[in-house]
Amino acid sequence: MVGSSHEAMHRIFQKDPALLTRALQSVLRIPFPEPRDFAAMNVDLTEIEPIERRVDTLLRAETDDGAYLLVVESQGKPDERKRGSWPYYLSYLYEKYRCEPVLIVTTQSSATARWASQPIHLGVRGCPSLTVRPFVLGPDNVPVIADEREAAQDVPLAVLSAMTHGKGPQTAPILESLAAALRTIDPDSAAVFVQFVDSCLADSRAQQMWRDLMTAIQYFWRHPLAEQVREEGREEGREEGRALERAESVLRTLQWRGIDVPDLVRKRVLASTDMDELGCWLDRSYRVADAGELFVEGA
């Protein structure tokens, strides 16, 4: 299955790009023009080795007003590094493709949604040279769809609703309505949507409820597309394993050199999944005199 809620929260828009523009128009009330066509684009924004930068999902939408690049970032928690990477993504994409970039952040957390919706100002305080305003889809604005007929009218939006609101008192009617609505669409799409929802249900009771509902339609779980999604999830797990191995190498090197590693440093190193960042820390671990210098540029 999909390896994490992070993956599902942006890949749903790869599965149904039109859902993204519907969300912009109806949920966020943004006057986005109606697209004629969509095209998936390479998410790799690497420009110079060895720095690697990737967006989560990147779509090109062709409209009567011109082409737009829709940048979707799935965010589990606040991350101040995004103050630098998000403006970079937008300016790089505009320079490369000469299309208007639009940043959409998806999250299951109200606190993260409030953080992500804050404009990013770069430059003189009160008179910035650059301002980035992310559009955020989260628990406070994604509609709660707990009615079977409403879910059947827009199944992808009902899937997004279940992924976003998959806990709390409304979980049961949301999941029951979606389970019924999935029977009205083609099995290929349903198979993928089932996996997306399953990966986003952090509450064990909600996840078990969802799997019980799916018992009656088990062909979704055995469908070839579902197996493809599961394999992609396993690959993500392998990437996480490689990141953990590199993080442990950083810590082992410091310990081998007799350098004390405080708990805060250990936790930060082990929490990182950025292979380039971990590579820099590994290089520095052979030179620094203090573990805290791992995080100092040029140390």
Side-chain angles (χ1 to χ4, degrees), residues 23-125:
L24 287 173
Q25 296 164 347
S26 62
V27 176
L28 299 178
R29 305 297 181 185
I30 296 168
F32 192 86
E34 196 65 35
R36 298 190 306 272
D37 191 24
F38 291 96
M41 301 184 69
N42 189 346
V43 299
D44 193 339
L45 307 187
T46 303
E47 186 175 14
I48 301 174
E49 293 292 347
I51 299 174
E52 180 179 320
R53 299 181 187 270
R54 292 176 182 271
V55 296
D56 288 333
T57 286
L58 180 60
L59 301 168
R60 182 185 177 107
E62 298 290 345
T63 77
D64 290 338
D65 292 347
Y68 288 84
L69 298 178
L70 304 178
V71 183
V72 185
E73 285 280 278
S74 174
Q75 197 68 29
K77 60 184 180 181
D79 182 354
E80 288 305 312
R81 292 177 300 179
K82 298 298 184 180
R83 290 181 54 82
S85 58
W86 284 346
Y88 171 86
Y89 294 163
L90 300 186
S91 59
Y92 174 85
L93 288 168
Y94 180 78
E95 175 63 21
K96 183 174 182 178
Y97 296 106
R98 291 296 167 175
C99 293
E100 298 296 339
V102 180
L103 174 62
I104 304 99
V105 179
T106 64
T107 182
Q108 296 172 287
S109 163
S110 293
T112 302
R114 289 191 293 272
W115 165 81
S117 64
Q118 296 300 309
I120 299 171
H121 301 295
L122 301 180
V124 179
R125 184 171 300 178

Side-chain angles (χ1 to χ4, degrees), residues 115-181:
W115 165 81
S117 64
Q118 296 300 309
I120 299 171
H121 301 295
L122 301 180
V124 179
R125 184 171 300 178
C127 189
S129 298
L130 176 65
T131 297
V132 173
R133 292 183 173 86
F135 301 133
V136 182
L137 294 170
D140 297 330
N141 56 16
V142 171
V144 174
I145 299 179
D147 177 80
E148 180 179 333
R149 286 176 296 181
E150 186 180 359
Q153 290 173 357
D154 193 337
V155 175
L157 185 59
V159 173
L160 182 62
S161 176
M163 292 162 59
T164 306
H165 302 285
K167 59 182 179 181
Q170 299 185 92
T171 299
I174 290 173
L175 297 181
E176 289 168 356
S177 299
L178 176 58

Side-chain angles (χ1 to χ4, degrees), residues 4-15:
S4 67
S5 59
H6 173 92
E7 286 292 298
M9 289 297 290
H10 69 87
R11 282 179 52 187
I12 185 175
F13 301 113
Q14 297 176 16
K15 173 61 182 170

Side-chain angles (χ1 to χ4, degrees), residues 2-4 6-7 10-11 43-44 52 54-56 229-248 269-279:
V2 178
S4 67
H6 173 92
E7 286 292 298
H10 69 87
R11 282 179 52 187
V43 299
D44 193 339
E52 180 179 320
R54 292 176 182 271
V55 296
D56 288 333
V229 173
R230 284 194 288 271
E231 177 57 34
E232 291 171 353
R234 286 192 286 269
E235 175 58 32
E236 181 192 359
R238 287 190 285 269
E239 290 181 3
E240 291 175 352
R242 287 192 287 269
L244 179 59
E245 182 179 359
R246 182 168 292 185
E248 291 174 342
V269 171
L270 291 175
S272 177
T273 57
D274 187 323
M275 293 295 286
D276 287 330
E277 180 179 70
L278 289 166

